[in-house]
Amino acid sequence: MRRLLAATTVVLATLTFATACGDSDTPSDSGSSDPKVIKVTFEGDTVDPNGERVDVDKGQDITLEVTADEPGEIHVHSSPEQELEYEAGESEVTIKGIDQPGTVDVESHALEKVIVQLEVS
Ligand SMILES: [Cu+2]
């Protein structure tokens, strides 16, 4: 029991630290462990959003709520790269949290368009 308590304390301390260093420029965003949700709409040869910058925390998962007229693939220029397939209609794909700070392009190669640029910090 004592050992369990000690482990819990370590986890809490780690969480507190992560929150303290990740929250500086997103005051409205409270839980840094919640996934970032971005709605993405593909229609014909357009995509919305189209090149928008989105702030995410290091390691924070990003859920894309996709609405599409045709199935396709999203390419995430993280390291390692991630390729995510989506279906026609409504679907949800998840980009795994990115650990390296910097800018990561999320693209549709079929459309040759940048959907969002993730600002990881
Ligand atoms: Cu690409």
Side-chain angles (χ1 to χ4, degrees):
M1 193 58 193
R2 180 159 295 194
R3 189 184 288 179
L4 180 65
L5 279 176
T8 308
T9 307
V10 170
V11 170
L12 285 176
T14 309
L15 283 176
T16 305
F17 178 72
T19 303
C21 69
D23 259 2
S24 52
D25 54 356
T26 51
S28 60
D29 210 288
S30 45
S32 59
S33 58
D34 291 338
K36 189 91 178 181
V37 177
I38 304 172
K39 285 184 196 295
V40 180
T41 305
F42 293 97
E43 206 180 331
D45 58 1
T46 67
V47 61
D48 177 59
N50 187 3
E52 205 171 285
R53 293 189 172 213
V54 178
D55 286 329
V56 297
D57 292 329
K58 262 192 297 180
Q60 183 182 20
D61 286 353
I62 300 114
T63 299
L64 302 180
E65 293 182 352
V66 177
T67 305
D69 53 355
E70 290 175 16
E73 197 175 275
I74 291 169
H75 191 195
V76 184
H77 283 232
S78 53
S79 167
E81 301 187 353
Q82 300 180 44
E83 290 181 352
L84 307 165
E85 292 183 7
Y86 59 87
E87 299 155 18
E90 294 189 10
S91 57
E92 224 177 67
V93 296
T94 300
I95 300 172
K96 278 199 217 83
I98 298 155
D99 289 327
Q100 290 160 315
T103 305
V104 172
D105 287 348
V106 178
E107 302 180 333
S108 158
H109 280 200
L111 301 183
E112 293 184 1
K113 286 194 161 103
V114 177
I115 303 163
V116 288
Q117 292 189 305
L118 302 173
E119 301 268 0
V120 183
S121 61

